[in-house]
Amino acid sequence: MATGLSAWERKRAELARRVEKVVATTPVLDIHTHLYDPAFKELLRWGIDDLLTYHYLVAEAFCHLDAPYDKFWALPKTRQAQLIWDALFVRHSPVSEACRGVLTTLKLLGLEVKRRDLPALRRWFAQQNPEKHLTRCLGLARVEKVCMTNSPFDDPERTVWERGFRRDERFVAALRIDPLLLDWPNTATRLSGWGYRVGVRLSASTIGEVRRFLADWTKRIRAKYLMVSLPPAFAFPDGNGCAELIERAVLPHCREFDLPFAVMLGVKRAVNRQLGLAGDGVGRSDLGALQNLCAGFPENKFLATVLARENQHELCVLARKFRNLHIFGCWWFTNVPTVAEEMTRMRLELVGLSLTAQQSDARVLEQLLYKWTHFREILARALSDKYADLLRAGEIERDVKDLFGGAFERFCGT
Ligand code: FIX
Ligand code: ZN
């Protein structure tokens, strides 16, 4: 302990250390990821080439690359990874959050990062046993369970569900329904092909069949909640098929199965189509739509996260007004230290502890390591300032458990 500190400063430092320890060691329920149960084989992505071709890094690399987009996409994954590595880690300092994330991850796995030796990194990953590596990554990230994002509209994924498999209890399912709500005419054709008697017009019998489809998939995957991501223009109520399907099919289904409906608001899909998955952007949402959902359907539970920084304050105020609304995570472009810290502090001040502070959105297994390590640092700072303001009246262990999944479980009623 440094000398010359006042008694107050010493107590403050000791409090910060306690909070850091609890935050660093409390296990997490990661309520939104794009990871898969290992039964899905190659759909569960892992390893250095997948880490480097993460769409966050693809977008950043293209700021330096001259290659035409289609030439890049035609390359094998290892070659794409090499180009991204050279552009972002060798020719420039890796200062962005996504780049920093790769370095944190490699360091936590005990790998040498200073030498920038990509072949050596590839050799190390090639030697890993996938099962053991999965357990090790979950352990290092202190993640107890992860929610997947499960889409019946994704052909490779659907095939595995239909075949059936023995579930890994660490992976929880969430039913993703974007094509149902955002592209009904094409989805109607697919549902018909799968034996649901639906038409493009949303007649009572079509709605009944949509509900049968939702019920089948909810049971098949044992969904913990239903989810959709929506564009900034989303309005509710509205005269379009999306709003109608939500009101007449999704919400009654959620009530019947007592499941929350998660809305992720503010994504502008394909702002730059040529970037593929990396080409999505952000826009401000009208949170009046969320307010109308929460007020109009008090028997439904809503989970919500919003992408625009400008919407965060309003979302906190809504969470104070509606006990059927649970807010979660610093999503995607908000998961950078400046914004995540601001949001987290604001949420603690406006909402308190009845929320889920973070979700990783990991698409590649090892990303759990950096996403949770970086966020735990932020949360520890925000909480220890709060406890200091409270003259240390907080119950640290209980509070962190709530923020890392306990409040979510209570909200879901499980
Ligand atoms: O809609 C979503 O679930 C988004 O999180 C993703 O689609 C997005 O591409 C992503 O990976 C963000 O982190
Ligand atoms: Zn996501």
Side-chain angles (χ1 to χ4, degrees):
M1 175 61 60
T3 50
L5 294 179
S6 67
W8 185 88
E9 284 167 329
R10 275 201 303 278
K11 277 191 167 174
R12 185 69 189 76
E14 183 216 317
L15 172 67
R17 275 196 303 277
R18 265 199 68 203
V19 175
E20 261 164 41
K21 186 162 175 225
V22 174
V23 173
T25 54
T26 301
V28 157
L29 162 58
D30 193 341
I31 75 164
H32 172 58
T33 76
H34 297 265
L35 301 177
Y36 288 89
D37 184 308
F40 287 85
K41 301 269 186 317
E42 64 285 349
L43 292 189
L44 172 57
R45 301 191 177 286
W46 62 280
I48 188 68
D49 291 305
D50 278 305
L51 284 170
L52 291 174
T53 52
Y54 186 33
H55 69 79
Y56 290 26
L57 293 175
V58 170
E60 289 169 29
F62 264 106
C63 299
H64 301 292
L65 297 177
D66 297 324
Y69 294 104
D70 50 349
K71 283 234 167 80
F72 176 86
W73 292 119
L75 295 171
K77 185 161 60 186
T78 47
R79 189 69 198 110
Q80 292 175 359
Q82 180 76 57
L83 285 174
I84 293 171
W85 177 255
D86 291 342
L88 298 180
F89 294 82
V90 179
R91 284 191 280 118
H92 297 91
S93 300
V95 294
S96 76
E97 175 64 5
C99 287
R100 177 184 163 228
V102 174
L103 301 187
T104 303
T105 301
L106 297 174
K107 184 162 170 259
L108 290 169
L109 288 168
L111 294 162
E112 161 65 65
V113 287
K114 276 224 174 72
R115 281 193 290 124
R116 307 280 199 272
D117 185 348
L118 185 53
L121 294 171
R122 284 189 170 131
R123 281 196 297 278
W124 185 87
F125 279 98
Q127 284 158 8
Q128 302 312 302
N129 165 294
E131 271 298 323
K132 285 195 187 137
H133 185 61
L134 166 61
T135 302
R136 178 163 183 228
C137 288
L138 292 172
L140 285 170
R142 290 211 162 71
V143 170
E144 211 164 45
K145 285 190 174 184
V146 299
C147 288
M148 305 177 274
T149 297
N150 301 110
S151 174
F153 304 100
D154 180 68
D155 292 333
E157 176 173 357
R158 193 182 59 257
T159 317
V160 180
W161 285 115
E162 283 171 345
R163 202 169 50 225
F165 60 93
R166 194 191 159 95
R167 294 284 290 269
D168 181 326
E169 294 303 323
R170 295 169 297 184
F171 290 80
V172 177
L175 180 56
R176 183 82 180 226
I177 54 169
D178 296 29
L180 180 79
L181 297 180
L182 300 171
D183 187 16
W184 170 245
N186 287 319
T187 301
T189 311
R190 300 194 74 191
L191 258 58
S192 295
W194 298 334
Y196 297 93
R197 292 179 302 280
V198 297
V200 172
R201 197 173 67 81
L202 296 174
S203 63
S205 70
T206 288
I207 292 289
E209 284 294 273
V210 172
R211 285 192 61 181
R212 185 163 72 85
F213 165 78
L214 293 174
D216 288 347
W217 277 93
T218 294
K219 287 186 260 182
R220 175 173 286 139
I221 73 175
R222 284 192 269 129
K224 179 112 181 144
Y225 60 87
L226 274 75
M227 70 187 310
V228 65
S229 65
L230 294 162
F234 171 69
F236 190 94
D238 203 358
N240 60 21
C242 174
E244 202 175 338
L245 280 159
I246 290 177
E247 179 164 359
R248 294 176 56 208
V250 176
L251 297 183
H253 168 79
C254 288
R255 289 195 294 273
E256 182 186 340
F257 284 79
D258 193 22
L259 294 178
F261 180 38
V263 289
M264 306 172 77
L265 300 169
V267 54
K268 276 192 191 163
R269 293 288 180 203
V271 167
N272 180 354
R273 242 168 238 295
Q274 314 220 60
L275 279 174
L277 198 55
D280 296 339
V282 57
R284 256 194 308 267
S285 296
D286 174 2
L287 295 194
L290 182 60
Q291 178 185 320
N292 292 338
L293 284 168
C294 295
F297 301 91
E299 306 297 320
N300 277 96
K301 296 174 189 171
F302 297 94
L303 300 165
T305 194
V306 292
L307 200 48
R309 183 184 190 180
E310 298 86 339
N311 279 135
Q312 301 304 330
H313 183 256
E314 196 180 352
L315 181 68
C316 290
V317 176
L318 277 182
R320 294 171 62 88
K321 304 297 145 190
F322 294 103
R323 62 184 171 180
N324 60 339
L325 173 62
H326 182 93
I327 64 176
F328 70 95
C330 307
W331 180 28
W332 201 345
F333 307 118
T334 64
N335 191 11
V336 291
T338 340
V339 184
E341 182 145 357
E342 171 186 271
M343 280 166 65
T344 302
R345 288 180 183 272
M346 182 161 65
R347 286 168 168 187
L348 292 174
E349 289 170 6
L350 267 167
V351 187
L353 298 159
S354 57
L355 53 90
T356 301
Q358 185 58 308
Q359 42 90 11
S360 74
D361 235 310
R363 280 183 178 265
V364 183
L365 172 63
E366 299 88 354
Q367 288 170 346
L368 291 173
L369 274 68
Y370 93 80
K371 297 213 186 210
W372 283 107
T373 303
H374 290 184
F375 185 73
R376 285 180 202 269
E377 286 164 11
I378 290 170
L379 183 65
R381 275 198 299 275
L383 274 180
S384 79
D385 284 352
K386 274 300 121 206
Y387 292 131
D389 295 348
L390 298 176
L391 307 171
R392 304 150 65 85
E395 268 196 46
I396 308 174
E397 283 85 358
R398 179 198 57 194
D399 298 349
V400 177
K401 265 189 206 149
D402 275 352
L403 292 169
F404 281 174
F408 170 79
E409 291 283 23
R410 252 197 325 280
F411 182 77
C412 293
T414 46

